[in-house]
Amino acid sequence: MTPEQVAAASKPAVLELGEAFSRCPGTLRRARLLGISGWAFYITGRAGALGDVRAETVAAAIGFIAPEAVADGWDASARVVRPLEVAAANLAECCRWGAQHLDDLPGTPRLAVLLDRVVAAADATGMPLFAAWRAMPVPQHAAGARAAVALLLLREHFTGAYLLAVRAGGMTPLEAVLAGPEGEAGATACGWSPPYPPVGPLVRRRLWAEAVTDRLASTAFRVLRPGEGAELVALLGATRAGLRTGVR
């Protein structure tokens, strides 16, 4: 497999697994312990690695969530706790989830090794969230925790690459969300208010942006030796299947 093929084949599993911890009830409990809402924890937990910046900066870095919705979560959290503290709590929950759900899966140690190498080789240019997260110290180093954190980082890398591709293709983030599989429901979930632009003319641009995303992300996968790309794709698929079926 070429690096671009590995990137394209890995992307669905990485996007799913890289945010799985955020839906865990334990993660939501951490938000309550910090005294903030689940939405505030999601926004600040994801962007808090940037530090004490303005909501406008956070909205620009995240891209696909409406600026007003970003500001609602970011500003509400900032009144209670510092962003870096929320980011550290989010990272701790990611590690906890990884240790709980991935440690006993047989392929996790090897998955963590391969993911760590890909993340370390990734180019962070134009991807502030990925760069900020990669600079965060990881509190746990067991295989499950390492794999979970690497999946989180690689997810941010793919998302950052997609945002660059969307803008290069002449689309706005809202248009990209509307042209995606969830359409207007996805736009509403991301805080965008109607009326929405027509979707038809946007589909071809979105497909182009998806292809460019794979090309941008593929540079990170060049670090893998022959055969390791296919191995990584297989391990991601097995991990995804194991979590879905509850196999440990």
Side-chain angles (χ1 to χ4, degrees):
M1 298 179 73
T2 67
E4 193 166 331
Q5 288 172 330
V6 176
S10 298
K11 184 168 60 178
V14 168
L15 293 179
E16 178 182 326
L17 296 172
E19 67 165 4
F21 80 97
S22 67
R23 298 189 296 273
C24 176
T27 303
L28 300 178
R29 282 195 297 271
R30 179 62 72 98
R32 292 194 294 271
L33 290 173
L34 289 172
I36 59 179
S37 69
W39 179 248
F41 185 82
Y42 172 77
I43 292 295
T44 310
R46 185 175 170 202
L50 296 171
D52 296 316
V53 298
R54 295 182 181 275
E56 292 86 354
T57 303
V58 176
I62 291 178
F64 297 107
I65 299 177
E68 296 82 2
V70 170
D72 285 346
W74 184 262
D75 292 340
S77 176
R79 289 191 288 267
V80 179
V81 61
R82 294 193 66 183
L84 276 173
E85 185 177 341
V86 182
N90 195 50
L91 191 59
E93 289 302 318
C94 181
C95 288
R96 177 198 57 76
W97 179 88
Q100 180 179 348
H101 294 277
L102 302 181
D103 264 354
D104 293 337
L105 294 176
T108 295
R110 180 61 174 163
L111 177 65
V113 168
L114 294 177
L115 288 173
D116 281 345
R117 285 167 49 200
V118 172
V119 167
D123 184 354
T125 303
M127 302 181 188
L129 280 179
F130 170 71
W133 272 110
R134 190 165 61 177
M136 290 278 290
V138 180
Q140 296 184 37
H141 297 284
R146 283 173 46 223
V149 172
L151 287 163
L152 164 65
L153 288 167
L154 197 54
R155 186 180 193 279
E156 288 294 355
H157 185 64
F158 272 118
T159 304
Y162 185 51
L163 183 58
L164 290 174
V166 163
R167 301 303 290 126
M171 299 174 71
T172 67
L174 169 58
E175 288 174 336
V177 173
L178 287 170
E182 296 181 2
E184 292 189 0
T188 300
C190 289
W192 301 98
S193 300
Y196 300 125
V199 174
L202 304 175
V203 174
R204 182 172 295 180
R205 288 189 182 185
R206 185 186 68 83
L207 294 175
W208 180 88
E210 291 280 3
V212 172
T213 298
D214 297 337
R215 197 170 308 130
L216 290 171
S218 69
T219 59
F221 294 89
R222 293 175 188 169
V223 72
L224 299 177
R225 293 186 287 270
E228 289 183 336
E231 182 186 8
L232 175 59
V233 172
L235 286 169
L236 287 168
T239 300
R240 199 182 190 185
L243 290 172
R244 287 178 172 179
T245 60
V247 174
R248 291 291 181 266

